[in-house]
Amino acid sequence: MSAASTKALVLDFGGVISRTLFETHDLSEAALGLPPGTLTWRGPFDPETDALWQAMQADHITEREYWMARTRSVGDLVGEEWNNMQTFVQRARGADVEAVIRPEAVAAVHQAKAAGCKLAVLSNELDLFYGASFRERLPLLQLFDVIIDATYTGILKPDRRAYEMCTEALGVAPADCVFVDDQSRNVLGAMRLGWQTVQFDVMNPADSYQRALKLLGIR
């Protein structure tokens, strides 16, 4: 058995496997019938102009609270009352789920799978944001051995129990996990338990995945 085959690649979903909503404003505006340029919040791409994002990064609000505020504001723009993130994502992104998946994620997942690594998604909001039918329409997720979703567990990263559930389900030691997440608090949570980590850079996805593959021993 090769060294890589004992390891596990554990990925956050939103922003890591999928493109962020910040990156797809043009698609969202077209799908919702909004004039180009209507959506101006840019999160990590322009934090100085996104006060809500700054509040989340300072732990004044949670990630869920950030996205619920955005959901309600976009609902207002289309003259509707939106009370869950699922409505926003499904209305903004339509039926083509493949269009929002990062090609770098697809390539890395296939490389890790081919090398014998185990695969897991560790998400705070997969079905909450995307809807329960999303994973059924995304063949990529069928390659994963484990999906831990706080939509159902109620345990949000960086709570140590979220990571412990993942290693237990995978049957691997913490040191054998390579975890990729775009939120520093979640990365630090994994590091505290002895996981190997990559803080995902949404502005440089290819480099982030290359670093993860290198930690897995994959060239």
Side-chain angles (χ1 to χ4, degrees):
M1 180 179 292
S2 68
S5 67
T6 65
K7 294 184 177 293
L9 178 62
V10 183
L11 303 176
D12 180 32
F13 188 82
V16 174
I17 294 176
S18 71
R19 297 166 65 198
T20 67
L21 282 166
F22 307 110
E23 296 169 77
T24 56
H25 279 338
D26 55 341
L27 300 177
S28 298
E29 289 161 351
L32 297 170
L34 297 171
T38 299
L39 304 179
T40 58
W41 38 270
R42 296 275 295 160
F45 294 89
D46 193 2
E48 291 79 11
T49 63
D50 191 336
L52 269 183
W53 181 262
Q54 294 177 49
M56 189 192 81
Q57 293 299 308
D59 286 329
H60 296 152
I61 62 172
T62 67
E63 186 177 14
R64 287 190 179 189
E65 287 170 334
Y66 175 90
W67 283 113
M68 278 311 307
R70 294 302 179 207
T71 294
R72 293 190 178 100
S73 67
V74 175
D76 289 342
L77 289 171
V78 298
E80 299 176 16
E81 185 176 347
W82 289 0
N83 292 312
N84 62 73
M85 187 68 186
Q86 180 176 332
T87 302
F88 183 9
V89 173
Q90 292 185 349
R91 288 284 298 276
R93 292 186 158 178
D96 187 2
V97 299
E98 302 278 0
V100 301
I101 302 303
R102 296 192 187 281
E104 299 90 350
V106 175
V109 165
H110 281 284
Q111 283 182 266
K113 190 78 170 180
C117 298
K118 293 187 175 182
L119 297 169
V121 169
L122 181 57
S123 173
N124 280 355
E125 74 290 297
L126 176 54
D127 283 3
L128 177 71
F129 280 18
Y130 288 83
S133 69
F134 185 90
R135 69 174 73 180
E136 299 168 7
R137 295 186 289 126
L138 185 60
L140 182 70
L141 288 183
Q142 296 172 14
L143 298 176
F144 284 78
D145 302 287
V146 169
I147 296 178
I148 304 292
D149 182 2
T151 303
Y152 305 108
T153 67
I155 300 173
L156 298 169
K157 299 171 292 184
D159 189 315
R160 65 181 296 125
R161 294 173 296 169
Y163 307 96
E164 289 168 347
M165 279 192 293
C166 190
T167 51
E168 182 177 351
L170 285 168
V172 299
D176 290 327
C177 290
V178 174
F179 177 58
V180 185
D181 196 294
D182 61 330
Q183 295 295 315
S184 60
R185 63 171 69 82
N186 298 337
V187 170
L188 290 171
M191 290 175 66
R192 283 193 288 268
L193 293 179
W195 289 30
Q196 300 181 75
T197 62
V198 172
Q199 181 159 349
F200 190 81
D201 183 353
V202 295
M203 288 173 280
N204 196 345
D207 177 71
S208 298
Y209 274 111
Q210 284 303 311
R211 286 188 286 133
L213 291 172
K214 184 176 181 180
L215 289 174
L216 290 168
I218 300 170
R219 295 185 180 276

